[in-house]
Amino acid sequence: MGYPVMLNIANQHVVVIGGGKVAERKIHGLLEAKANITVVAPTITSGIQQLEAAGKLIWRQKTFSPDDLEEAWVVIAATNNRDVNEAVAKAAKPYQLINIADDPERSNFHVPAVIRRGRLTIAISTGGASPTIAQQIRRQLEELYDDDYGRYIDFLYECRQWILRNVHDEQKRKELFKAIADESFRKKGNWVEDLKHLLRQIDK
């Protein structure tokens, strides 16, 4: 059983071994997290080429060697060659986080299926048992938590900051936090006006 965490890899050095479609998919997730990415591969997809041309990553056009992992905090082996992936696993240091795309047992972390809606992140993992099932669950949750839900979460964040700065009574804070997090509040859709109404009610 894994221990779920949200990892802050902004500006951290991440090395991706491989330049195919799997690597490209991993890279897009890493870019969303603002990682500093180095790709090591003799060839890369046109999509990765575009990212390199735009200055989004560094490409080392070569086959893998252990020194490619120096200073990396996160390592992802995403080649279609098991021998290369195994070499990456053996070269990784104990302090490095490593994911072997085709060998969960050799990985010390797994990349879940992810839904992002503004500040809301939902991660689904089967612990390497079935990425297909994880993707199916992700699609179901995407319908339940649409883009409008993301805007709601962003609204809640702004509200929380305002309430913490301006409402000094702890009990009133709790009442407001509970009220704006209620599903009936979200469904009304008039969040700003409804918040103003709540503030008037709570001040009476």
Side-chain angles (χ1 to χ4, degrees):
M1 181 65 68
Y3 182 69
V5 297
M6 295 295 290
L7 194 63
N8 182 1
I9 60 172
N11 301 315
Q12 297 293 334
H13 186 197
V14 177
V15 174
V16 177
I17 312 299
K21 288 296 184 182
V22 174
E24 183 178 339
R25 190 166 63 248
K26 302 279 189 183
I27 287 167
H28 282 293
L30 294 168
L31 287 174
E32 286 184 346
K34 301 184 180 349
N36 293 332
I37 305 167
T38 298
V39 176
V40 179
T43 60
I44 54 178
T45 64
S46 59
I48 299 176
Q49 288 176 11
Q50 292 172 9
L51 293 172
E52 188 217 8
K56 300 290 183 67
L57 54 81
I58 295 171
W59 175 31
R60 294 180 186 167
Q61 190 175 7
K62 61 186 290 293
T63 57
F64 169 74
S65 58
D67 59 357
D68 290 320
L69 304 188
E70 289 182 8
E71 300 181 3
W73 188 36
V74 177
V75 177
I76 295 180
T79 79
N80 58 4
N81 186 317
R82 285 217 160 195
D83 291 336
V84 173
N85 290 348
E86 176 66 16
V88 175
K90 289 180 177 178
K93 300 293 190 294
Y95 59 83
Q96 291 176 316
L97 296 173
I98 180 166
N99 175 259
I100 309 296
D102 64 352
D103 193 351
E105 297 302 319
R106 295 301 304 272
S107 307
N108 59 20
F109 80 96
H110 306 292
V111 180
V114 173
I115 300 167
R116 297 188 190 277
R117 297 287 187 260
R119 291 180 175 273
L120 174 66
T121 301
I122 303 173
I124 307 102
S125 174
T126 59
S130 178
T132 301
I133 291 295
Q135 292 296 334
Q136 290 176 4
I137 295 171
R138 178 181 63 80
R139 287 191 290 271
Q140 293 169 5
L141 290 175
E142 280 178 333
E143 295 180 6
L144 183 60
Y145 298 99
D146 57 13
D147 290 335
D148 190 58
Y149 210 98
R151 289 189 291 274
Y152 171 60
I153 295 296
D154 291 341
F155 169 80
L156 290 182
Y157 174 80
E158 297 298 332
C159 280
R160 181 175 179 80
Q161 304 312 304
W162 189 91
I163 291 169
L164 289 173
R165 288 193 306 269
N166 296 281
V167 179
H168 304 295
D169 184 282
E170 186 174 349
Q171 184 59 37
K172 288 182 178 180
R173 281 183 181 178
K174 288 181 179 179
E175 291 176 16
L176 285 169
F177 289 149
K178 182 177 180 180
I180 63 177
D182 191 273
E183 182 69 0
S184 63
F185 181 93
R186 182 187 72 83
K187 286 183 175 180
K188 288 179 182 177
N190 300 315
W191 304 324
V192 174
E193 291 303 316
D194 288 343
L195 176 61
K196 291 178 180 178
H197 177 71
L198 284 171
L199 289 170
R200 288 193 295 269
Q201 290 293 108
I202 208 167
D203 284 335
K204 287 182 178 180

